[in-house]
Amino acid sequence: MYDVIIVGAGAAGLTAAIYTCRKKLKTAILSIDVGGQTNLTSHIENYPGTGPMHGIELMRRFQDEATGFGAELIMGKANKVEKIENSFRVGLANGEAYDCKALILAYGKVPKSLGIEGEEKFMGRGVSTCVTCDAPLFKKRDVAIIGGGNSAVEGALELATFAKKVYIIHRRDAFRADEITVGKLKQNQNIEIVINSVSLKINGEKNVESIDVENTITKEKRQIKIDGVFIEIGYVVDTSFVQHLVKVNEKKEIIVDERGNTSCPGIFSCGDITPVPFKQTVIAAGDGAKAALECYRWLTGGKGAVLDWTH
Amino acid sequence: MYDVIIVGAGAAGLTAAIYTCRKKLKTAILSIDVGGQTNLTSHIENYPGTGPMHGIELMRRFQDEATGFGAELIMGKANKVEKIENSFRVGLANGEAYDCKALILAYGKVPKSLGIEGEEKFMGRGVSTCVTCDAPLFKKRDVAIIGGGNSAVEGALELATFAKKVYIIHRRDAFRADEITVGKLKQNQNIEIVINSVSLKINGEKNVESIDVENTITKEKRQIKIDGVFIEIGYVVDTSFVQHLVKVNEKKEIIVDERGNTSCPGIFSCGDITPVPFKQTVIAAGDGAKAALECYRWLTGGKGAVLDWTH
């Protein structure tokens, strides 16, 4: 039984963990990754106090601090939350379950999935949702990237600096990215543009070996041999597995007050999964600290009020 | 004419400046100090991403980043705000005035003053409100510290490691600080405890030379020769000079929405001067970023909406 389980290990979740651990609460973090959206930024200049650095490096520091203060990091996708008497049980996709007295939901936005065969099976074994994180793994190999927005087009250009060949697969006939970026894409000899095409299936034995695509106009099918597939079709708020406990708004974001309280006593929330208007690392961190201190206050029956400076 | 004037240079104000400058807004910071309440903490371990350090060092980093991105730092005490057509005019105690299109109030709590003769005159010339900042200036000299709470008692102990002699002057007969700390105070040979005593006047020519105190029971007066006076009688929210423009709560804190909007369009607020419940550096920083981005959105007629990651 943990005092607190934090779902998500981005700026909000890791900061919350720093604060709950420093209040001597037994804390576990359940997450599919470490770093969240901050990882996607190669050069953060506006997180105060650290100087410019890669988002991944900044999040590694947050992680080291959270685990250094005693947080236990458990990798896995939370997909079930039950209220059992005075505690909560959080289930992971792999069947494991963990109990806690209080819960902080800080898992932010999650990458949209294509919903095709092989996608989930090969996740982490050729399928990735983070170019910045995983591009270096595909040096001199062939990869596909799926999507038509800025992040897909920029991702293709970044991948092309590592990979031998990059296929960018987009279901429409034009890219939504900036013209300048699309221009660079068209000029790059290592990139093959596959437009008007939908992905049908990712194939392989242990790892990704190929992807089946279909031209939406000619209905022609094609199998492209590749070693990796990057899915860059955007991010989405997924609160489907907690909506029986907490109120959400019309965008499915978890409604919180200014201290991170949700509509369910004992469940707190912070970061991109809430309606906070500005998506910034320092803002997520600040709101993570608020949710953690409010959680501490709740667990201690309001006696743990932290109404003054308590560095 | 500045685009934005930020009053206050603590974690909230300096972070706001980083954000307004990165949005290319011409920014001035008006402040009596740099660092605010964070300066008072000698060992911050829970600001994520930097590792442990002195609050003064952390705030110096914030300052370097804010000025590095173009913020102009003007030292002075803001004591007047007027709305003039579509702009605001901020007056300083020294008579200077600065104009801006938008205003961010982030000056937090200010040290309470004794209200005695010499106090204002010798501020910075022997009178200080920050032991941690200024104790090293009084090596092998004699100082007085005024107050009876934890920060005064701890301040006396800290001063005693530098000064030749420390007088702690308190108007009551017992200290409100922890017993352990008071015990240390009583055992310290360099500290003289002056209880049941009020300060009447700070004397000197160019710098502080002595302080007059009166025993509240015997009515006996005494002049104590010292080189410095530290005033540690707490902090207070002072919004008296902006209450004709912005709504405040019963504690005189400026009421804000979740984006830092006050009741007056064009005036934003963040940090300890708002009703934010938890006083933490990372929380003030996060709310500073929110207020700055909302200010930018307002200045650009709502077109500058920053609804996604914009590191």
Side-chain angles (χ1 to χ4, degrees):
Chain A
M1 171 74 77
Y2 292 95
D3 293 322
V4 188
I5 285 177
I6 297 167
V7 182
L14 292 170
T15 303
I18 290 171
Y19 272 82
T20 56
C21 287
R22 286 176 59 85
K23 291 292 182 191
K24 306 274 182 211
L25 300 176
K26 193 181 174 201
T27 302
I29 308 172
L30 310 184
S31 188
I32 52 167
D33 68 355
V34 173
Q37 299 276 304
T38 302
N39 281 349
L40 308 183
T41 305
S42 59
H43 192 72
I44 296 194
E45 292 190 327
N46 60 6
Y47 182 78
T50 58
M53 67 175 68
H54 198 297
I56 293 175
E57 165 62 15
L58 182 61
M59 289 298 96
R60 204 169 288 146
R61 291 189 182 194
F62 277 48
Q63 176 189 0
D64 289 347
E65 289 163 4
T67 55
F69 287 125
E72 204 177 316
L73 183 60
I74 299 166
M75 301 311 289
K77 185 173 173 57
N79 66 2
K80 197 175 179 186
V81 177
E82 295 169 273
K83 186 158 171 40
I84 299 169
E85 289 177 18
N86 289 323
S87 66
F88 300 97
R89 176 163 296 166
V90 185
L92 298 185
N94 65 10
E96 290 172 11
Y98 298 90
D99 290 347
C100 60
K101 296 176 194 161
L103 185 62
I104 299 178
L105 300 172
Y107 60 93
K109 287 183 176 163
V110 291
K112 272 190 207 167
S113 60
L114 293 165
I116 62 170
E117 202 184 322
E119 183 181 18
E120 209 156 303
K121 181 180 168 191
F122 294 113
M123 189 65 72
R125 288 186 292 143
V127 175
S128 168
T129 56
C130 178
V131 171
T132 314
C133 312
D134 296 334
L137 304 176
F138 294 90
K139 248 176 214 164
K140 303 203 177 163
R141 304 181 77 179
D142 296 341
V143 295
I145 182 163
I146 296 158
N150 254 319
S151 59
V153 173
E154 283 170 11
L157 292 168
E158 190 178 340
L159 280 167
T161 66
F162 293 98
K164 196 166 78 200
K165 176 139 193 189
V166 179
Y167 298 87
I168 180 164
I169 301 166
H170 182 34
R171 59 190 171 140
R172 302 198 195 284
D173 63 351
F175 292 97
R176 292 186 313 280
D178 309 330
E179 277 185 43
I180 293 173
T181 318
V182 175
K184 285 185 197 162
L185 188 78
K186 288 177 178 168
Q187 279 162 19
N188 194 306
Q189 301 292 319
N190 297 342
I191 299 176
E192 180 175 331
I193 295 171
V194 185
I195 49 170
N196 293 318
S197 295
V198 292
S199 305
L200 300 177
K201 191 180 163 210
I202 298 167
N203 312 296
E205 206 147 316
K206 283 189 178 170
N207 298 299
V208 169
E209 292 171 16
S210 67
I211 186 165
D212 295 339
V213 299
E214 183 183 65
N215 187 300
T216 54
I217 296 166
T218 64
K219 301 292 167 192
E220 204 180 324
K221 287 184 186 172
R222 176 181 173 189
Q223 185 166 86
I224 304 174
K225 293 195 73 171
I226 35 88
D227 305 296
V229 179
F230 288 83
I231 300 164
E232 285 286 352
I233 52 174
Y235 287 82
V236 71
V237 164
D238 176 15
T239 49
S240 54
F241 66 99
V242 292
Q243 284 177 27
H244 61 294
L245 291 168
V246 297
K247 277 189 193 156
V248 299
N249 68 9
E250 71 290 352
K251 290 179 183 168
K252 308 297 180 198
E253 297 159 334
I254 298 170
I255 297 168
V256 286
D257 70 6
E258 71 282 5
R259 300 174 178 213
N261 288 294
T262 69
S263 60
C264 176
I267 303 186
F268 307 85
S269 186
C270 49
D272 284 8
I273 203 168
T274 71
V276 56
F278 307 113
K279 311 303 189 192
Q280 295 288 304
T281 300
V282 69
I283 292 176
D287 287 349
K290 286 180 194 171
L293 292 174
E294 184 67 3
C295 172
Y296 170 70
R297 213 176 66 87
W298 183 81
L299 280 169
T300 53
K303 288 177 193 163
V306 192
L307 297 170
D308 222 323
W309 288 80
T310 57
H311 305 289
Chain B
M1 170 74 78
Y2 292 96
D3 293 322
V4 188
I5 285 178
I6 297 166
V7 182
L14 292 171
T15 303
I18 290 171
Y19 272 82
T20 56
C21 288
R22 287 178 56 86
K23 291 292 183 192
K24 306 274 182 210
L25 301 176
K26 194 181 172 201
T27 302
I29 308 172
L30 310 184
S31 188
I32 52 167
D33 69 353
V34 173
Q37 299 277 304
T38 302
N39 281 349
L40 308 182
T41 305
S42 61
H43 192 72
I44 297 194
E45 292 190 327
N46 60 5
Y47 181 78
T50 58
M53 67 175 69
H54 198 298
I56 293 175
E57 164 62 15
L58 181 60
M59 288 298 97
R60 205 169 286 146
R61 290 188 183 195
F62 277 47
Q63 176 190 0
D64 289 347
E65 289 164 1
T67 55
F69 288 126
E72 206 177 316
L73 184 60
I74 299 165
M75 301 313 289
K77 186 173 171 58
N79 65 1
K80 196 175 180 186
V81 177
E82 296 169 272
K83 185 158 171 40
I84 299 170
E85 290 177 16
N86 290 322
S87 66
F88 300 96
R89 178 163 294 167
V90 186
L92 297 186
N94 65 10
E96 291 173 10
Y98 298 90
D99 290 347
C100 60
K101 297 176 194 162
L103 186 61
I104 299 177
L105 300 172
Y107 60 93
K109 287 183 177 162
V110 291
K112 271 190 208 168
S113 60
L114 294 165
I116 63 171
E117 203 184 320
E119 183 181 19
E120 209 156 305
K121 182 181 168 191
F122 294 113
M123 189 65 70
R125 288 185 292 141
V127 175
S128 168
T129 56
C130 179
V131 171
T132 315
C133 312
D134 296 333
L137 303 175
F138 293 90
K139 246 176 215 165
K140 303 201 175 163
R141 305 182 77 180
D142 296 342
V143 295
I145 182 163
I146 296 158
N150 254 320
S151 59
V153 173
E154 283 170 11
L157 292 167
E158 190 177 341
L159 280 167
T161 66
F162 294 97
K164 196 166 79 202
K165 176 141 193 186
V166 179
Y167 300 87
I168 180 162
I169 301 167
H170 182 35
R171 58 190 173 142
R172 305 199 192 284
D173 63 351
F175 292 97
R176 293 187 313 279
D178 310 331
E179 278 186 41
I180 293 174
T181 318
V182 176
K184 285 184 196 162
L185 188 77
K186 289 177 177 168
Q187 279 163 19
N188 195 307
Q189 302 291 319
N190 297 341
I191 299 175
E192 181 176 332
I193 296 170
V194 186
I195 48 170
N196 294 318
S197 296
V198 292
S199 306
L200 300 176
K201 192 179 162 211
I202 298 167
N203 311 295
E205 207 147 313
K206 282 191 178 170
N207 298 299
V208 170
E209 292 171 15
S210 67
I211 186 165
D212 295 341
V213 300
E214 184 184 65
N215 188 298
T216 54
I217 296 165
T218 64
K219 300 291 168 196
E220 203 180 323
K221 285 184 189 175
R222 175 181 175 191
Q223 185 166 84
I224 304 174
K225 292 193 73 174
I226 35 88
D227 306 296
V229 179
F230 289 83
I231 301 164
E232 286 285 351
I233 53 174
Y235 286 83
V236 70
V237 164
D238 175 15
T239 48
S240 54
F241 66 99
V242 293
Q243 284 177 26
H244 61 294
L245 291 169
V246 297
K247 278 188 191 156
V248 299
N249 68 10
E250 71 289 352
K251 291 179 182 168
K252 309 296 180 198
E253 297 160 332
I254 298 171
I255 297 168
V256 287
D257 71 6
E258 71 283 5
R259 298 174 179 212
N261 289 294
T262 69
S263 60
C264 176
I267 303 185
F268 306 85
S269 187
C270 49
D272 283 7
I273 202 168
T274 71
V276 56
F278 307 113
K279 312 302 189 191
Q280 294 288 305
T281 300
V282 69
I283 292 176
D287 287 349
K290 286 180 194 171
L293 292 174
E294 183 67 2
C295 173
Y296 170 70
R297 213 177 65 87
W298 182 81
L299 280 170
T300 53
K303 287 177 192 161
V306 193
L307 298 169
D308 221 324
W309 287 79
T310 57
H311 305 290

